[in-house]
Amino acid sequence: MLAFLAASALLAGSCTAPRAIVATGKVTPQGEFRVGYNQGFNLATAPLDKAGSAVKAAASQAASQDRVDYSEATTQLQAAALAYILDPVQPTADLSIRYGIVPRLDAGYKYAFGSHVFDAQYQLLGPTGTPENPGQGAASGTTYASIGLQFATQRAKLPSIPFLSDINSVLNFRANRNDLLIPLTFSQSFGPEEEIGAISYGLVYAHSWVSYGFAPEKIYNGAVKVPELPLQSRNFSSFGGFVNLKLGYRYFYVIPAVSLFYQNYGNYALLNGQSTSLSGITVVPSLGFQLRIPNFTK
């Protein structure tokens, strides 16, 4: 298990804010802890569209040259770099801990191997008991609902993929981003107070703020060296839905999940007065593990 976690950390080292929704409509009961690990994959159409064989060949050729003349291929390299920062195609992983603060509110922290995530969840519907001490009306099939708020911050970088490393050596690309995620979750309990799990589904709104820039050293427009592009700030919204299945008994659960997002990333300035626009769909399948630590003092 330790070897698996270490391998996942290395694979997810390029870091992206976690967007897999593995929570149910029931928040962590007051005084309890939940510890989790989640492994997923961020599959986005925008970077796949920008990473064709011609772009990979252009990146390799440019990286091997001491001087690069600005061309349409240079524009495509920048678009590919931006697409991977905005929504990378890569494995994702995170470790999390949550605590029940009051009967209908919990809060938590996730470390996504480079991205720091803080979140809270408020329960709108359903009882607030535990499997050992069910609340009034708790039974198998009981409906729960909650709304969450997640904030993630990270210094973004390109994934460790050969052609992206070539791109970065040519463009000297830098970026950082912050992400806000608001999931509205509904769930039906399996057993009283999710004793043996739940099925959950809902809608998600997300908003991202990105700053980026290019500082190339060897790109020229004729005899003139192309000046760097200072940090640019952009933001965009994402809309999506999700479904997950929580299965286990009282203290340990396995949670397969899938989320789907659509986003129009907008228009982005590039070197040499050029620009590009991006949009696409993202699918995030994941598999999580959760350990429930009851409040033994009650």
Side-chain angles (χ1 to χ4, degrees), residues 58-147:
S60 177
Q61 181 179 4
S64 66
Q65 296 175 336
D66 294 328
R67 173 192 167 111
V68 177
D69 291 325
Y70 197 97
S71 65
E72 177 60 26
T74 316
T75 299
Q76 293 175 359
L77 295 183
Q78 295 169 79
L82 277 168
Y84 268 89
I85 284 297
L86 296 172
D87 213 349
V89 176
Q90 65 171 35
T92 63
D94 63 79
L95 295 166
S96 65
I97 184 169
R98 304 192 66 77
Y99 178 71
I101 301 172
V102 293
R104 292 188 177 272
L105 178 68
D106 70 358
Y109 168 77
K110 294 179 185 177
Y111 178 64
F113 301 101
S115 177
H116 299 280
V117 185
F118 305 89
D119 70 306
Q121 189 175 1
Y122 180 76
Q123 187 173 320
L124 304 168
L125 182 67
T128 59
T130 67
E132 296 83 6
N133 185 24
Q136 185 177 3
S140 186
T142 298
T143 298
Y144 296 83
S146 67
I147 188 165

Side-chain angles (χ1 to χ4, degrees), residues 75 78-79 82-83 85-86 173 208-212 214 229 232-237 264-271 273-279:
T75 299
Q78 295 169 79
L82 277 168
I85 284 297
L86 296 172
F173 183 46
S208 301
W209 294 264
V210 180
S211 296
Y212 71 97
F214 300 100
L229 181 74
Q232 308 285 305
S233 295
R234 296 289 186 275
N235 66 88
F236 61 91
S237 294
N264 184 344
Y265 308 99
N267 195 63
Y268 291 79
L270 303 177
L271 294 168
Q274 302 298 308
S275 65
T276 188
S277 59
L278 301 163
S279 64

Side-chain angles (χ1 to χ4, degrees), residues 127 134-144 187-199:
Q136 185 177 3
S140 186
T142 298
T143 298
Y144 296 83
S187 63
Q188 272 74 49
S189 176
F190 299 156
E193 303 287 16
E194 300 183 352
E195 183 175 33
I196 57 176
I199 183 169

